[in-house]
Amino acid sequence: MAEQQQAGHKTVLSGPPTGVDARALDEAVRFTSDLIRIDTTNRGGGDGTERLAAEYVAEQLADAGIEPRILESAPGRANVVARIPGTDPAADALLVHGHLDVVPAEAADWSVPPFSGEIRDGVIWGRGAIDMKNTDAMVLATVRSWVRTGQRPARDIVLAFTADEEDSAAYGAGYLVKQHADLFEGCTEAISESGAYTFHAGEGLRIYPVAAGERGTAWMKLTAHGRAGHGSKVNDENAVSRLAAAVARIGEYRWPVRITDTVRAALTELAAVHGLPADLDDVDALLDRIGPAAAFVRPTVRNSANPTMLDAGYKVNVIPGVAGAFVDGRIVPGGQEEFTSTMDRLTGPHVAWEYYHHEVPLTAPVDAPAYAAMREALEHFDPGAHVVPFCMSGGTDAKQFSRLGITGYGFSPLKLPPGFDYQALFHGVDERVPVDALHFGVRVLDRFMRGAGTAQAPAAAGASGARDGEVGA
Ligand SMILES: [Zn+2]
């Protein structure tokens, strides 16, 4: 890796080149800060605007000679799409997408104004610093650097900066997929948020979880019907009792372990890292032994269904004829059929259930060349990194792009110092990102997106600490 000296957020590179130039590192920082200052709060239900951020992104692309298209789904709800042609016309295209909207921030709770984009002591503060204006900025800085330095990616790269990810995606990725599918022609794989950050798992162990799947969303409405009547009378068709029994059965149900390919790979790698046998016959026991990293595997080894809301009755001495409840269900890849039949059984004959919101689970192969290239890029810039796949317990825009047959990975590289609680800052107070983390991210993104770590590409000759140009297994 090249030596670097820092003065403020200016970085001077010495030593062998690493792909991007020093200006790209500075731009990643400046763009992050600038984008944070453009308030793109998404309050849901159509209340949000990304237009100014989209214009900012489009300007940076156009300035580098990359032709952007601004696609507005509704007034103020703007997306940006651009295509960078690759050198290999036979290669499938890679989609790189990032959302421009952010969740609300309550200024009174923060140490700095949440839309200040302030850079202090080597850290950029503000809403969107990790979710995910930082990634938008790193991607912009990377592709602009290619133009300046005369480099091109092997694959076509399609860039998409989207609106409305933090709500339904109806004005963003959902709209693009429905109305502008042609812009994504040839894309087979995608990268976006929520993966490839440093997870410190104790004893100097640095794990980089790369998302290779998402659980599905199954929000359900339960309705129990019965015989309405006086609260003092015998009633063996009480809707409240029927609902309560069903809710209790769902809440107490212990879902069986269902290991997907992604989770199997994760457990096998984590067991190896800790020098343990990968005993997949007793996954819960294994999870107990693999330390802090179990936190990102545990929610995804089985389906889940948690009762969250109850709605029944209006007077203490009146038995209502109907009682309702809501349940938050999540489904592992391949687990849909089991989920449906289990819910039928647990709700029983007197309680009906339906989806209130339903999104499919996703899975992405971890034996694919793209995954190997992500691993290689991370290991290249952090020798000693352990790259481990994981399944996201929630969902992202990848669900929308999957409708076009695009396989999505969570790959938004950041090298974070010990004690930096990335998970807590997601949608959290005092969201922030270290400048150094962005520098690392730009280098990794450049290497991966350009296809520089593949066998055909020349190695970064003489780079100390760097591996040769081969793809990691
Ligand atoms: Zn996000």
Side-chain angles (χ1 to χ4, degrees), residues 1 6 18 35 91 136 139 355 378 389:
M1 232 189 298
Q6 282 183 281
T18 54
L35 284 168
D136 298 332
V139 169
Y355 291 116
L378 285 166

Side-chain angles (χ1 to χ4, degrees), residues 124-402:
I124 310 170
W125 295 69
R127 177 58 86 220
I130 56 169
D131 183 18
M132 61 176 297
K133 287 176 167 170
N134 62 319
T135 309
D136 298 332
M138 293 192 295
V139 169
L140 279 178
T142 301
V143 299
R144 282 166 56 90
S145 154
W146 293 348
V147 176
R148 273 196 307 278
T149 57
Q151 302 182 83
R152 278 178 67 189
R155 313 169 71 168
D156 272 20
I157 303 283
V158 176
L159 304 176
F161 300 88
T162 62
D164 205 28
E165 193 275 344
E166 297 291 6
D167 194 34
S168 67
Y171 296 104
Y175 157 82
L176 292 175
V177 163
K178 273 198 199 106
Q179 306 291 329
H180 296 282
D182 54 306
L183 297 177
F184 304 97
E185 194 168 336
C187 291
T188 52
E189 289 161 328
I191 58 167
S192 193
E193 64 184 310
S194 302
Y197 59 93
T198 324
F199 183 95
H200 293 274
E203 292 163 21
L205 201 55
R206 293 186 306 286
I207 290 171
Y208 287 80
V210 170
E214 297 181 1
R215 289 204 301 176
T217 309
W219 293 345
M220 291 164 284
K221 183 173 191 278
L222 272 53
T223 309
H225 289 277
R227 181 160 48 83
H230 198 290
S232 69
K233 297 281 169 28
V234 172
N235 187 328
D236 53 9
E237 296 167 66
N238 183 323
V240 175
S241 308
R242 286 172 170 176
L243 181 80
V247 164
R249 284 192 295 270
I250 293 165
E252 287 165 4
Y253 184 65
R254 184 80 174 141
W255 292 84
V257 169
R258 295 288 179 241
I259 297 294
T260 59
D261 289 347
T262 303
V263 168
R264 179 178 296 107
L267 287 170
T268 306
E269 302 249 2
L270 289 172
V273 163
H274 288 275
L276 298 167
D279 179 7
L280 299 182
D281 292 334
D282 192 349
V283 165
D284 288 311
L286 180 59
L287 284 169
D288 287 340
R289 297 181 66 197
I290 57 176
F296 62 80
V297 184
R298 203 185 296 278
T300 62
V301 299
R302 42 169 63 91
N303 289 335
S304 63
N306 283 308
T308 48
M309 293 165 72
L310 292 170
D311 177 21
Y314 50 92
K315 194 162 189 305
V316 68
N317 59 350
V318 178
I319 298 168
V322 181
F326 286 88
V327 174
D328 181 348
R330 305 290 171 143
I331 306 175
V332 298
Q336 179 66 62
E337 220 168 284
E338 178 188 21
F339 187 86
T340 307
S341 61
T342 304
M343 286 305 300
D344 284 343
R345 185 162 52 77
L346 294 176
T347 48
H350 303 299
V351 178
W353 69 275
E354 63 187 318
Y355 291 116
Y356 159 76
H357 179 68
H358 189 208
E359 291 276 9
V360 292
L362 301 181
T363 188
V366 296
D367 56 359
Y371 183 84
M374 285 181 235
R375 165 178 296 204
E376 191 277 342
L378 285 166
E379 289 175 345
H380 185 89
F381 291 107
D382 185 1
H386 294 277
V387 180
V388 174
F390 81 112
C391 179
M392 276 189 242
S393 77
T396 70
D397 271 350
K399 289 205 195 306
Q400 307 301 323
F401 289 113
S402 76

